[in-house]
């Protein structure tokens, strides 16, 4: 990386900018609506950011390595359905959850194997597995949601862990694990290197396939955890659950500063981005703004974020814009 | 290999052609201004509105400017946009305010619940909900109940058993009788043909309104000894699937006399298939929902009939019910029925301005 052309703009980390936007937006909403800055509502915002953060953790790891996983929404739905079927078959809460999480690991393994061993394009592989898994959810349920679970299970979606929603604690744990993996493990180091220059890594004798597969397994795992949260929150495993969630996950990761070209990413930034999107949606609903504008605004914000991060990296690399 | 490719190509071209024709027809006719018959404009709608208001007597009077929130399934579907119009017009009429919201994505069960939870944390006096599934809004309705915010259901209700378990209360419910819709459509076919073979094209298996329409239609046909159902097929609400089903049905049963479709989109596909097979004159087709395209088709003498419910009155009824609850009036009916009507070539003129 050439460091000839550093302006003061480049010294501020993008995460700090994102955080400032989050604080400003929250302050603005607090001033503008008396209902925003109430504990009940803040709890809500936390709860609502959890899915994006859980999905976003796995997605960040995969995108950092130069890959993508479009199947996460479908994986979450399937994991929830497996849990629901196991619970209705009389299995205990723990084994049922383990079965669901194992589903996520399994499809992560399949995605990773196709991408790393067969050397197929991750976009196409996960697009195909998204369709396959969505098909499985419909076959398993006959398109009828499975519902009615014990309080023990529902705790994972709508319960409290101390003053916080359980879901927020789950999301915090997942994000923390993701940060540890990305920043302090060999897997994290190699995944960043994979996204930077895969060929160089391979030539230096690193078994890139193993690390790639591990990343997709982790991504499948986070999707299954999201499936647990969704199913327990709604008290219902719905074959259409998590529909288009992969897009939200990608948006959260990218908004948080992960480069779509791979090689750079931040779990901390992703968490701030998840919170920012939740605050934004909450604020729009608080002001009674129609859902049309929510989609429009989310898209615009992501576009601006990508533009800003591209400008920075180009000027840092000494390229003209 | 080449032959297969050529065949696939030919089919593609054909499909695009069909889609194009269908699209053009819709687009070409959509902007055409309603040309009402001299005195009949809005007649059917006014009729239906009177009927609904009668069932809601005594009508409430808002003693203060209540703030009401309405949470719909989606705003990316014309049906729900018309419901929104009903909410907003009724709010104006009764001197209250309403904010109409929806899940940002259709079928997004989780974000619809999130939206409801946010609504509950605001200062609304009452909430009208139209849940995507019977279960997804239960936790949010329970939150509202805990905060003593009355909730009414519009179109779809939450599951009563799950609601009772979660201490979630729905104070009133307005919807349309989907089974009656099936009966009306099938009854029209039975009357018209007297006797013979019929078929049913249902919607997506498992969807509540589709199942109810199919049940109504099936019972009506089966109650008539002169009529024989030769096939019940799932068209998944899809025009192309319905087209293919109808094309095969008419091959297998050259003497088929009627096809009941659970919505208009599928009925439009069936009409095209029958036209292509040269059998439109022989087979009576009915749809459901009375979309603009169906109206034009009925006027042109192609589609034989459609069954309409009034999304506008869903919204209006929702506001009135919310006000009744807020003003402490008793809710006499478990379910308030928004009227349904059958439209064919003879009465289609009176359905100008139906909403």
């Amino acid at each position: 990386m050439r460091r000839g052309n550093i302006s003061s703009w480049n010294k501020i980390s993008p995460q700090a900018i994102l955080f400032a936007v989050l604080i400003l937006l929250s302050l603005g909403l607090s001033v503008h609506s008396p209902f925003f800055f109430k504990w009940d509502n803040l709890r809500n915002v936390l709860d609502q950011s959890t899915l994006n953060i859980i999905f976003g953790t796995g997605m960040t790891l995969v995108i950092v390595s130069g890959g993508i996983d479009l199947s996460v929404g479908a994986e979450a739905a399937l994991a929830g359905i497996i849990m629901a079927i196991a619970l209705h078959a009389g299995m205990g809460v723990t084994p049922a959850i383990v079965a669901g999480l194992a589903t996520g690991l399994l499809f992560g393994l399949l995605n990773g194997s196709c991408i790393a061993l067969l050397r197929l394009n991750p976009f196409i592989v996960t697009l195909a597995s998204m369709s396959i898994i969505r098909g499985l959810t419909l076959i398993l349920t006959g398109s009828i949601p499975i519902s009615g679970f014990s309080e023990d299970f529902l705790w994972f979606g709508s319960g409290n862990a101390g003053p916080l929603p359980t879901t927020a604690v789950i999301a915090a744990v997942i994000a923390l694990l993701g940060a540890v993996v990305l920043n302090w493990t060999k897997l994290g180091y190699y995944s960043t290197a994979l996204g930077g220059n895969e060929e160089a890594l391979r030539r230096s004798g690193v078994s890139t396939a193993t690390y790639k597969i591990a990343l997709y397994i982790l991504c499948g795992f986070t999707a299954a955890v999201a499936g647990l949260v969704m199913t327990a929150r709604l008290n219902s495993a719905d074959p259409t659950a998590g529909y288009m969630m992969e897009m939200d996950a990608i948006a959260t990761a990218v908004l948080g500063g992960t480069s779509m070209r791979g090689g750079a990413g931040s779990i901390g930034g992703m968490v701030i981005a998840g919170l920012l999107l939740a605050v934004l949606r909450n604020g729009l609903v608080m002001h009674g703004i129609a859902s049309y504008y929510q989609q429009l605004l989310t898209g615009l914000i992501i576009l601006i974020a990508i533009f800003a991060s591209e400008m920075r990296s180009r000027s840092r690399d000494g390229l003209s814009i | 290999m080449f032959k297969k490719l050529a065949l696939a190509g030919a089919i593609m071209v054909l499909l695009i052609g069909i889609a194009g024709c269908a699209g053009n027809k819709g687009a070409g006719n959509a902007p055409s201004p309603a040309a009402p018959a001299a005195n009949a404009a809005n007649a059917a709608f006014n009729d239906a509105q009177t009927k609904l208001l009668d069932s809601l007597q005594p009508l409430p009077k808002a003693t203060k400017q209540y703030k009401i929130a309405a949470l719909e399934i989606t705003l990316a579907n014309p049906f729900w946009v018309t419901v929104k119009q009903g909410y907003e017009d009724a709010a104006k009429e009764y001197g209250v305010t309403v904010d109409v919201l929806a899940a940002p994505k259709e079928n997004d069960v989780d974000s619809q619940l999130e939206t409801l939870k946010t609504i509950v944390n605001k200062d609304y006096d009452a909430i009208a909900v139209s849940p995507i599934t019977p279960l997804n809004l239960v936790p949010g309705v329970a939150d509202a109940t805990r905060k003593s915010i009355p909730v009414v259901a519009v179109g779809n209700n939450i599951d009563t058993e799950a609601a009772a378990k979660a201490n979630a209360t729905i104070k009133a419910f307005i919807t349309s009788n989907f089974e009656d819709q099936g009966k009306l459509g099938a009854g029209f076919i039975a009357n018209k043909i007297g006797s013979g073979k019929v078929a049913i094209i249902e919607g997506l298996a498992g969807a509540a309104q589709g199942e109810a329409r199919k049940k109504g239609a099936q019972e009506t046909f089966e109650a008539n000894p002169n009529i024989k159902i030769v096939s019940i097929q799932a068209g998944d609400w899809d025009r192309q699937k319905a087209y293919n089903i109808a094309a095969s049905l008419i091959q297998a049963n050259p003497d088929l006399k009627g096809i009941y479709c659970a919505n208009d989109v599928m009925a439009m596909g069936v009409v095209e298939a029958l036209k292509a097979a040269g059998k439109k004159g022989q087979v009576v087709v009915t749809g459901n929902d009375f979309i603009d395209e169906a109206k034009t088709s009925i006027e042109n003498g192609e589609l034989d009939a459609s069954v309409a419910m009034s999304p506008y009155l869903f919204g209006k009824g929702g506001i009135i019910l919310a006000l009744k609850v807020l003003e402490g009036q008793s809710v006499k009916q478990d379910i308030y029925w928004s009227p349904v009507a059958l439209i064919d070539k003879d009465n289609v003129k009176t359905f100008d301005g139906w909403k």
Side-chain angles (χ1 to χ4, degrees):
Chain A
M1 194 185 294
R2 268 194 279 159
R3 297 198 142 253
N5 206 355
I6 301 175
S7 65
S8 58
W9 162 245
N10 281 332
K11 286 183 194 150
I12 311 168
S13 85
Q15 281 75 40
I17 297 170
L18 204 59
F19 190 68
V21 172
L22 173 64
I23 297 297
L24 280 178
L25 184 64
S26 304
L27 282 178
L29 283 170
S30 309
V31 173
H32 211 263
S33 164
F35 309 100
F36 178 79
F37 205 75
K38 282 194 171 161
W39 177 236
D40 264 2
N41 191 54
L42 293 181
R43 239 183 131 267
N44 246 338
V45 173
L46 274 185
D47 187 31
Q48 292 170 10
S49 67
T50 53
L51 282 183
N52 275 349
I53 290 174
I54 296 171
F55 276 122
T57 302
M59 192 62 82
T60 300
L61 291 174
V62 167
I63 294 179
V64 161
S65 78
I68 191 93
D69 189 344
L70 300 179
S71 67
V72 289
E75 280 175 347
L78 182 64
I81 285 164
I82 297 292
M83 291 176 205
I85 290 174
L87 288 169
H88 277 218
M91 273 165 76
V93 170
T94 313
I97 291 176
V98 169
L101 296 181
T103 318
L105 296 175
L106 174 70
F107 279 95
L109 173 69
L110 291 177
N111 277 338
S113 305
C114 288
I115 292 160
L117 302 179
L118 305 179
R119 300 262 209 123
L120 300 176
N121 180 303
F123 188 93
I124 304 299
V125 168
T126 57
L127 187 67
S129 61
M130 167 173 86
S131 184
I132 291 169
I133 298 167
R134 205 45 98 180
L136 284 176
T137 65
L138 288 166
I139 292 166
L140 283 174
T141 59
S143 116
I144 298 163
I146 305 171
S147 62
F149 309 117
S150 66
E151 285 299 322
D152 293 344
F153 182 75
L154 299 185
W155 179 79
F156 289 95
S158 49
N160 292 306
L164 294 171
T166 320
T167 53
V169 176
I170 295 175
V173 170
I174 293 287
L176 204 63
L177 288 177
V180 168
V181 168
L182 185 61
N183 298 316
W184 289 290
T185 66
K186 215 158 106 182
L187 175 60
Y189 178 76
Y190 282 140
S191 71
T192 313
L194 265 173
N197 190 341
E198 183 175 350
E199 199 47 43
L201 193 64
R202 203 189 344 263
R203 292 204 178 166
S204 62
V206 175
S207 160
T208 54
T210 317
Y211 291 104
K212 258 194 190 175
I213 293 173
L215 288 173
Y216 283 93
I217 291 179
L218 283 180
C219 192
F221 176 75
T222 56
V225 173
L228 165 66
V229 168
M230 282 196 291
T231 309
R233 184 185 280 164
L234 297 177
N235 191 10
S236 156
D238 194 318
T240 61
Y243 175 69
M244 291 287 277
M245 272 296 198
E246 52 280 352
M247 290 304 149
D248 292 346
I250 295 168
T252 312
V254 170
L255 189 57
T258 300
S259 161
M260 279 305 281
R261 288 180 292 187
S266 157
I267 296 285
M270 184 278 299
V271 171
I272 299 171
L275 287 169
L276 182 63
L277 290 174
V279 167
L280 182 71
R281 196 189 283 179
N282 184 273
L284 290 171
V285 173
M286 279 276 160
H287 288 84
I289 296 168
S291 54
Y292 300 151
Y293 298 96
Q294 298 187 29
Q295 300 211 41
L296 184 99
L297 263 177
T298 314
L300 280 178
I301 286 175
I302 291 163
L303 206 57
I304 293 168
I306 296 178
F307 181 65
S309 95
E310 273 292 301
M311 299 265 280
R312 290 166 52 87
S313 70
R314 279 182 214 177
S315 69
R316 197 160 43 205
D317 293 349
L319 301 169
S320 59
I321 294 162
Chain B
M1 185 65 198
F2 176 73
K3 262 188 189 166
K4 268 190 192 164
L5 273 177
L7 185 66
I11 290 170
M12 284 287 280
V13 169
L14 193 68
L15 291 188
I16 292 165
I18 290 161
C21 289
N24 285 342
K25 196 185 284 169
N29 285 315
S32 73
N39 52 5
N42 292 326
F45 175 76
N46 291 336
D47 236 31
Q49 177 158 265
T50 312
K51 236 191 254 171
L52 176 68
L53 293 181
D54 278 349
S55 75
L56 287 163
Q57 290 293 346
L59 293 175
K61 249 205 178 85
T63 49
K64 58 179 244 205
Q65 208 190 0
Y66 293 111
K67 283 177 73 180
I68 298 172
L71 178 59
E72 299 194 343
I73 287 183
T74 173
L75 281 167
N77 175 326
F79 183 92
W80 290 104
V81 175
T82 311
V83 176
K84 177 175 188 238
Q85 202 191 334
Y87 276 127
E88 286 168 349
D89 289 356
K92 219 175 277 166
E93 187 185 332
Y94 284 83
V96 299
T97 63
V98 66
D99 287 332
V100 184
L101 298 156
K105 287 174 286 185
E106 196 161 4
N107 291 332
D108 191 349
V109 284
D110 205 76
S111 77
Q112 197 195 24
L113 174 63
E114 285 178 4
T115 309
L116 177 58
K117 286 191 159 181
T118 306
I119 289 172
V120 170
N121 277 325
K122 253 193 98 174
D123 59 339
Y124 289 109
D125 298 298
I127 303 171
V129 296
S130 308
I132 296 175
T133 76
L135 293 157
N136 75 310
L137 292 187
V138 174
V141 176
D143 283 359
T145 306
R146 209 171 309 126
K147 289 191 136 190
S148 321
I149 304 170
V151 182
V152 300
V154 175
N156 305 340
N157 203 349
I158 61 174
D159 185 72
T160 37
E161 205 177 304
K165 253 193 209 158
N167 284 326
T169 313
I170 293 286
K171 297 279 192 186
F173 177 35
I174 177 167
T175 187
S176 167
N177 190 328
F178 295 106
E179 208 172 310
D180 274 359
Q181 295 172 13
K183 283 181 182 160
L184 269 178
F188 176 85
I189 295 177
N191 272 338
K192 201 108 183 176
I193 64 175
S195 67
K197 291 181 181 173
V198 297
I200 294 175
I201 300 182
E202 60 170 322
L204 196 66
Q209 72 273 44
E211 293 287 343
R213 281 178 195 156
K214 180 186 82 172
K215 186 162 171 257
Q218 197 176 350
E219 281 173 7
T220 305
F221 285 140
E222 280 169 359
N224 187 331
N226 297 323
I227 288 180
K228 186 172 170 249
I229 303 177
V230 291
S231 184
I232 300 177
Q233 298 282 333
D236 299 349
W237 308 127
D238 185 272
R239 185 188 302 250
Q240 190 56 52
K241 278 189 185 147
Y243 180 98
N244 293 341
I245 292 169
S248 335
L249 276 173
I250 199 70
Q251 287 298 321
N253 307 281
D255 54 344
L256 193 70
K257 281 187 164 173
I259 300 180
Y260 170 84
C261 305
N263 80 353
D264 281 338
V265 173
M266 296 193 293
M268 300 316 296
V270 169
V271 166
E272 289 307 317
L274 291 174
K275 270 161 64 184
K279 295 267 191 176
K280 183 59 210 71
Q282 173 200 316
V283 184
V284 177
V285 182
T286 66
N288 205 102
D289 296 344
F290 196 51
I291 60 177
D292 282 351
E293 214 183 329
K295 183 166 182 254
T296 314
S297 184
I298 292 172
E299 283 166 353
N300 293 343
E302 293 183 339
L303 180 65
D304 293 280
S306 177
V307 178
M309 49 184 163
S310 166
Y312 185 86
L313 291 181
F314 270 39
K316 183 160 186 175
I319 291 286
I320 295 174
L321 280 178
L323 282 177
K324 276 176 95 79
V325 173
L326 284 171
E327 289 297 335
Q329 292 187 4
S330 66
V331 174
K332 288 180 210 132
Q333 292 168 235
D334 284 342
I335 301 173
Y336 285 89
W337 299 110
S338 170
V340 296
L342 185 118
I343 301 100
D344 65 0
K345 203 172 172 34
D346 298 334
N347 68 358
V348 66
K349 281 284 170 251
T350 66
F351 278 80
D352 279 327
W354 178 267
K355 52 191 175 182

